[in-house]
Amino acid sequence: MKKIYTMLFSLFLVLCAKNAVHAQQITYTVQPGDSLWKIAVKYEIGVSEIINANPQIPNPNMIMVGQKINVPNIADIKALENEVIRLVNIERGKQGLAPVAGNWQLSRVARYKSTDMRDKNYFSHYSPTYGDPFKMMHDFGITFYAAGENIAMGQRTPQAVMTAWMNSQGHRANILNPQYNEIGVGVAKTQNGTIYWTQEFIKR
């Protein structure tokens, strides 16, 4: 079964565990000047995901040079997400619109949303865990003036989900909204291969 759904939120002048992904791990050796945040930025993954992958670390604020840190490897997931971003910008280019910049922290939010839909077996903009997309972005520390969300389920490839979204008026409107300048895309797969897709759009 394939589904798509769209939602738009706008707000002006707003300031606004469990692993999000089941993944293999990369072993990283701590270098001078490193912190878990620096490692998270290097691999474009959340600090909480790194902490969850390293229960052997008693104090995440104190890591030592030479220490081995496990970092979840989500390269396959990111490849799907980045392809969606590429396809979004192709569609925007066809309309003479500026590209949206990929934002890895926004993609992390989108990934959590897709994972939540998968794990709690629902398909909705409103999450029983995080609330609506606007609140979720805010709670993850994302600031914006306007925001929108597209979700989908069941399409097997980035091209398939983009085709479905572009053939739906509401989803297409989000993708081609000239005010948005950043995007995050999040993917979560079930054991049988069903994919949940989330796009988050923001205007800074």
Side-chain angles (χ1 to χ4, degrees):
M1 178 169 55
K2 299 177 183 177
K3 296 181 181 179
I4 57 175
Y5 202 30
T6 187
M7 194 168 203
L8 172 67
F9 294 89
S10 292
L11 184 68
F12 295 93
L13 301 178
V14 171
L15 290 180
C16 37
K18 166 183 179 179
N19 253 358
V21 234
H22 302 295
Q24 296 179 344
Q25 294 182 344
I26 298 164
T27 301
Y28 176 80
T29 303
V30 176
Q31 303 298 311
D34 271 344
S35 64
L36 286 190
W37 170 246
K38 287 184 178 180
I39 297 169
V41 171
K42 175 181 175 66
Y43 288 98
E44 298 187 347
I45 196 165
V47 170
S48 64
E49 287 94 303
I50 295 178
I51 291 172
N52 288 340
N54 292 275
Q56 78 281 6
I57 299 177
N59 183 351
N61 294 317
M62 296 181 62
I63 57 175
M64 310 297 290
V65 173
Q67 187 174 3
K68 304 296 184 184
I69 303 290
N70 298 317
V71 180
N73 182 359
I74 58 170
D76 57 337
I77 293 295
K78 285 184 178 180
L80 293 173
E81 295 167 353
N82 289 334
E83 177 62 6
V84 171
I85 294 172
R86 188 183 75 84
L87 294 172
V88 163
N89 282 326
I90 287 174
E91 295 297 339
R92 289 175 68 88
K94 291 176 184 177
Q95 304 301 319
L97 299 171
V100 283
N103 178 326
W104 74 265
Q105 292 172 291
L106 193 57
S107 286
R108 178 176 177 244
V109 173
R111 201 175 302 129
Y112 267 95
K113 176 61 181 289
S114 290
T115 302
D116 193 56
M117 289 193 293
R118 177 197 69 191
D119 292 349
K120 297 194 173 175
N121 193 30
Y122 72 93
F123 184 73
S124 170
H125 289 290
Y126 186 86
S127 162
T129 307
Y130 304 108
D132 64 44
F134 178 84
K135 180 180 185 300
M136 184 178 183
M137 291 181 213
H138 180 271
D139 289 348
F140 273 76
I142 304 295
T143 60
F144 53 89
Y145 292 102
E149 176 179 87
N150 288 342
I151 58 175
M153 182 188 77
Q155 294 80 9
R156 301 190 68 85
T157 66
Q159 184 61 67
V161 75
M162 278 297 297
T163 298
W165 278 329
M166 290 301 292
N167 286 332
S168 166
Q169 184 176 359
H171 300 87
R172 179 185 177 92
N174 270 345
I175 290 167
L176 300 181
N177 189 324
Q179 71 177 325
Y180 294 143
N181 52 27
E182 294 185 22
I183 184 174
V185 175
V187 165
K189 295 182 181 180
T190 65
Q191 288 187 342
N192 68 8
T194 299
I195 303 179
Y196 287 80
W197 307 84
T198 301
Q199 286 180 327
E200 307 288 9
F201 297 92
I202 61 171
K203 170 182 171 59
R204 289 278 191 178

